[in-house]
């Protein structure tokens, strides 16, 4: 079971990509502990009970992605697909090192047109994966570069933006390295559309 809170700016009770789940945005200027009434944050709480089946054994919830039609729930070793009413649809992904398994998937928090995007840097840095939640079709999207993905989001149906981190060890000093951060916008064929450098940082790394 999980809960979603809705603020006063929205009167829509349905789960959407803007639903706040288990988190609240607090002003950065607040630097000490405070007490807030729930009514100061949300109008009401929507609780969804996830369907339980003998064939579906779920431990703790480690991650989730929600849109108007689906909920993707990640446990320690498996990822499950539910509808927004909590009805189980199917097993989505399994973790492991097999050909149809993923080691450490990182999901985009936006589902576009029923397509869920995710990466797995340990399995293969060269691709971002997309899975059609309706048909279960899995495809690979080539990446423009192979830096570590900190965050990514599909901004249109044919493009997405990646916050990339490129780590390079200094060959002359074993404990020294540089990290370059950049925002990369590319299409689904791996072609670069825009790139913004966010800076290069040097430091000591064990």
């Amino acid at each position: 079971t999980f809960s979603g809170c809705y603020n006063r700016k929205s009167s829509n009770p349905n789960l959407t990509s803007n639903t706040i789940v288990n988190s609240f945005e607090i002003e950065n200027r607040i630097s000490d502990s405070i007490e807030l009434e729930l009514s100061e944050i949300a109008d009401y709480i929507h609780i969804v009970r996830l369907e339980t089946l003998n064939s579906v054994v779920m431990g703790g919830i480690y991650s989730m992605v929600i849109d108007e039609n689906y909920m993707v729930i990640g446990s320690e070793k498996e990822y499950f697909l539910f509808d927004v009413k909590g009805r189980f649809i199917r097993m989505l992904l399994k973790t492991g090192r097999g050909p149809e398994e993923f080691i450490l998937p990182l999901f985009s928090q936006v589902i576009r047109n029923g397509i869920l995007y995710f990466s797995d840097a340990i399995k293969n840095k060269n691709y971002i994966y997309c899975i059609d939640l309706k048909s279960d079709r899995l495809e690979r999207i080539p990446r423009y570069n192979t830096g570590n993905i900190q965050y990514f989001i599909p901004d249109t149906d044919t493009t997405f933006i990646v916050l990339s981190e490129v780590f390079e060890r200094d060959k002359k000093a074993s404990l020294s390295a540089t990290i370059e951060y950049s925002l990369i916008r590319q299409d689904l064929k791996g072609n670069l559309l825009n790139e913004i450098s966010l800076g290069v940082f040097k430091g000591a790394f064990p």
Side-chain angles (χ1 to χ4, degrees), residues 106-119:
L106 170 66
F107 291 95
S108 168
Q109 292 301 307
V110 175
I111 298 173
R112 287 192 70 93
N113 297 326
I115 306 295
L116 175 67
Y117 297 84
F118 65 96
S119 65

Side-chain angles (χ1 to χ4, degrees), residues 8-206:
R8 300 179 187 276
K9 294 181 180 179
S10 173
S11 59
N12 183 2
N14 296 321
L15 291 172
T16 72
S17 58
N18 295 321
T19 301
I20 303 173
V21 180
N22 290 339
S23 65
F24 303 104
E25 292 185 5
I26 305 298
E27 294 291 341
N28 292 330
R29 63 177 179 269
I30 297 176
S31 58
D32 200 357
S33 300
I34 61 172
E35 292 186 4
L36 293 174
E37 295 290 336
L38 183 60
S39 59
E40 297 180 54
I41 300 174
D43 290 332
Y44 57 89
I45 297 177
H46 185 75
I47 298 176
V48 177
R49 183 177 180 83
L50 300 178
E51 181 181 11
T52 56
L53 301 172
N54 292 333
S55 59
V56 179
V57 180
M58 185 185 306
I61 295 177
Y62 287 80
S63 63
M64 64 178 70
V65 185
I66 299 173
D67 82 340
E68 290 84 355
N69 301 306
Y70 299 105
M71 297 187 296
V72 177
I73 308 296
S75 63
E76 184 177 2
K77 294 183 178 181
E78 297 167 321
Y79 294 82
F80 306 90
L81 183 63
F82 295 84
D83 67 15
V84 291
K85 294 184 178 180
R87 292 184 294 240
F88 176 74
I89 299 176
R90 65 175 178 273
M91 172 91 65
L92 193 64
L93 298 173
K94 292 186 68 174
T95 58
R97 296 183 180 271
E100 301 297 326
E101 297 175 331
F102 294 87
I103 301 170
L104 190 63
L106 170 66
F107 291 95
S108 168
Q109 292 301 307
V110 175
I111 298 173
R112 287 192 70 93
N113 297 326
I115 306 295
L116 175 67
Y117 297 84
F118 65 96
S119 65
D120 191 338
I122 299 178
K123 182 180 180 72
N124 196 325
K125 288 186 176 182
N126 296 318
Y127 298 100
I128 282 178
Y129 301 88
C130 65
I131 184 168
D132 189 317
L133 297 179
K134 185 176 182 179
S135 67
D136 203 30
R137 185 179 71 253
L138 178 68
E139 295 183 353
R140 298 188 305 182
I141 301 171
R143 291 185 57 199
Y144 170 72
N145 77 355
T146 56
N148 294 322
I149 295 178
Q150 297 296 315
Y151 185 81
F152 71 100
I153 182 172
D155 60 324
T156 73
D157 292 341
T158 58
T159 61
F160 56 89
I161 297 172
V162 178
L163 174 57
S164 175
E165 170 197 285
V166 177
F167 181 92
E168 185 174 351
R169 181 76 66 178
D170 191 331
K171 296 180 180 179
K172 296 181 180 179
S174 59
L175 297 181
S176 179
T178 60
I179 301 177
E180 180 178 1
Y181 293 94
S182 60
L183 279 176
I184 294 173
R185 187 167 184 259
Q186 69 160 78
D187 63 18
L188 301 185
K189 296 181 179 180
N191 298 314
L192 176 67
L193 302 177
N194 306 97
E195 183 173 7
I196 301 175
S197 176
L198 301 178
V200 177
F201 301 88
K202 296 182 179 181
F205 299 90

